[in-house]
Amino acid sequence: MTLQQLKYIIEIARCGSINEAAKKLFITQPSLSSAVKELEQRLGIEIFVRSSKGVSLSSEGVEFLSYARQVVEQTELLEQRYINKKPTKRLCSISTQHYAFAVNAFVNLIKNNNSDEYEFTLRETRTYDIITDVASFKSEIGIIYLNDFNRKVLSRILKQHHLKFTPLFEASPHVFMSKKHPLAKQNSVTLSQLEDFPYLSFEQGDYNSFYFSEEILSTVYHKKNIYVSDRATLFNLLIGLNGYTISTGILNSDLNGSDIVAIPLEVKEKILVGWITTANAYLNQTAQSYIIELENLIRQYGFQLVK
């Protein structure tokens, strides 16, 4: 087994295609396929499952990739320490539901990054896409929430994709609305008070199930529904239409401006926000730093971390 072979495995997992990985590694596709088969034969395991759509990691491959990443990262640290080799480009991808605090943590991550070169990706996307992003190693970390309604279904899907959920904090539901909204001065609001106002939520595409909704109480009937795909549009519509949406209550004026307020919603539901990653995965240093930034922000907003 060679260090180069481990790097090959990591790049193929990242690309989801041997052909695409070969292009990025500047070698031929047959040579890369041969190197992978040789390693699989030597180890006596199948690392990748081949199909017409590309390759995906087997259950043994997921475990192997975790060890491979550790070996490669530790080797790079040794090279930087003892032979002054230039650090490799920092890579990190995050997929998240539409949370301002996730973006804020990403901003802090980049500000505190001291690497000369990096390539970071932040995807605010649909719930099911977050799960598949992490399962396919397109992203190291995904940010989602669980509650009593969706927990059983999402937990089963996470298990099917060999993912684990690590809780961050628990929040009481809040309503986001314009500070000029007729109910904006209330200490709290009820669903009955909101029923005549437009309800905004994030559309979930082909997986537009109640269980994948980013907003709790997804089965509650609303007379006026508006579905959007991005956070900026949602906030503009909150202001322009006196609409509302339901979320954690965390707002950041630096990123979202001061035109939106969060009002407690009078319900018994709770929102458990956390991050997902592959089971037994080894998070690289940058991904670990992102988790630290998230935890620091959660504390700053007055929430207690769930341990």
Side-chain angles (χ1 to χ4, degrees):
M1 186 190 314
T2 68
L3 187 63
Q4 191 62 58
Q5 285 175 317
L6 299 185
K7 291 179 178 179
Y8 286 168
I9 298 300
I10 293 171
E11 190 60 42
I12 294 171
R14 182 179 294 126
C15 295
S17 163
I18 292 179
N19 189 43
E20 288 300 314
K23 292 177 183 178
K24 293 192 175 185
L25 293 166
F26 302 104
I27 63 173
T28 65
Q29 187 268 338
S31 296
L32 183 55
S33 295
S34 177
V36 173
K37 281 192 172 295
E38 178 185 333
L39 181 58
E40 288 178 322
Q41 291 172 358
R42 180 184 180 94
L43 298 175
I45 64 172
E46 182 183 49
I47 299 174
F48 292 107
V49 178
R50 283 82 170 170
S51 72
S52 59
K53 296 181 180 179
V55 295
S56 60
L57 287 163
S58 66
S59 56
E60 292 176 314
V62 170
E63 182 179 16
F64 179 81
L65 180 67
S66 177
Y67 287 115
R69 283 176 163 169
Q70 293 182 60
V71 171
V72 170
E73 186 167 310
Q74 292 301 316
T75 301
E76 290 175 350
L77 289 173
L78 285 171
E79 290 175 339
Q80 293 167 30
R81 173 67 177 83
Y82 292 105
I83 61 177
N84 295 319
K85 184 177 179 180
K86 183 181 178 181
T88 57
K89 180 185 289 188
R90 287 284 185 89
L91 298 171
C92 186
S93 295
I94 308 296
S95 292
T96 177
Q97 292 177 326
H98 297 77
Y99 294 129
F101 64 84
V103 179
N104 197 0
F106 193 78
V107 170
N108 293 342
L109 173 71
I110 295 177
K111 283 183 176 179
N112 294 329
N113 175 65
N114 57 8
S115 177
D116 292 333
E117 298 182 23
Y118 59 78
E119 184 178 308
F120 293 164
T121 303
L122 178 65
R123 302 180 184 91
E124 279 193 325
T125 188
R126 301 162 178 166
T127 303
Y128 190 81
D129 291 340
I130 295 169
I131 294 171
T132 55
D133 280 353
V134 178
S136 64
F137 296 93
K138 189 175 181 180
S139 291
E140 280 82 14
I141 293 169
I143 311 295
I144 64 172
Y145 84 90
L146 299 179
N147 70 342
D148 290 341
F149 176 72
N150 71 9
R151 186 187 308 273
K152 186 174 181 179
V153 171
L154 290 191
S155 294
R156 185 180 72 246
I157 294 172
L158 293 177
K159 185 176 181 180
Q160 289 171 349
H161 285 82
H162 308 290
L163 303 177
K164 65 176 181 179
F165 176 88
T166 301
L168 274 170
F169 69 101
E170 187 177 68
S172 297
H174 283 64
V175 172
F176 287 175
M177 59 176 60
S178 166
K179 67 179 182 181
K180 297 180 181 179
H181 192 284
L183 299 176
K185 301 297 184 181
Q186 298 276 115
N187 291 326
S188 63
V189 294
T190 65
L191 289 173
S192 60
Q193 288 177 297
L194 295 164
E195 64 182 7
D196 290 327
F197 298 99
Y199 173 66
L200 289 93
S201 59
F202 291 105
E203 60 93 19
Q204 297 295 324
D206 294 336
Y207 293 89
N208 200 24
S209 160
F210 293 131
Y211 298 108
F212 291 102
S213 173
E214 293 188 42
E215 301 79 24
I216 68 164
L217 305 171
S218 55
T219 58
V220 172
Y221 173 75
H222 302 280
K223 293 193 294 186
K224 303 173 183 178
N225 287 284
I226 300 175
Y227 298 98
V228 301
S229 59
D230 67 89
R231 194 156 42 88
T233 299
L234 182 139
F235 281 176
N236 288 336
L237 293 176
L238 291 183
I239 296 170
L241 298 175
N242 271 341
Y244 72 97
T245 192
I246 302 173
S247 191
T248 61
I250 298 180
L251 283 170
N252 183 290
S253 58
D254 292 335
L255 296 177
N256 306 128
S258 56
D259 293 324
I260 304 294
V261 295
I263 311 295
L265 180 63
E266 294 182 19
V267 292
K268 296 181 179 180
E269 299 281 341
K270 294 291 184 179
I271 305 170
L272 182 63
V273 179
W275 52 279
I276 60 173
T277 189
T278 52
N280 302 316
Y282 171 76
L283 292 180
N284 63 37
Q285 185 178 353
T286 308
Q288 292 178 41
S289 296
Y290 179 72
I291 296 299
I292 292 172
E293 295 295 346
L294 273 177
E295 293 177 341
N296 289 340
L297 273 177
I298 298 310
R299 293 191 189 95
Q300 289 174 25
Y301 284 119
F303 289 89
Q304 184 174 357
L305 294 174
V306 176
K307 295 295 185 182

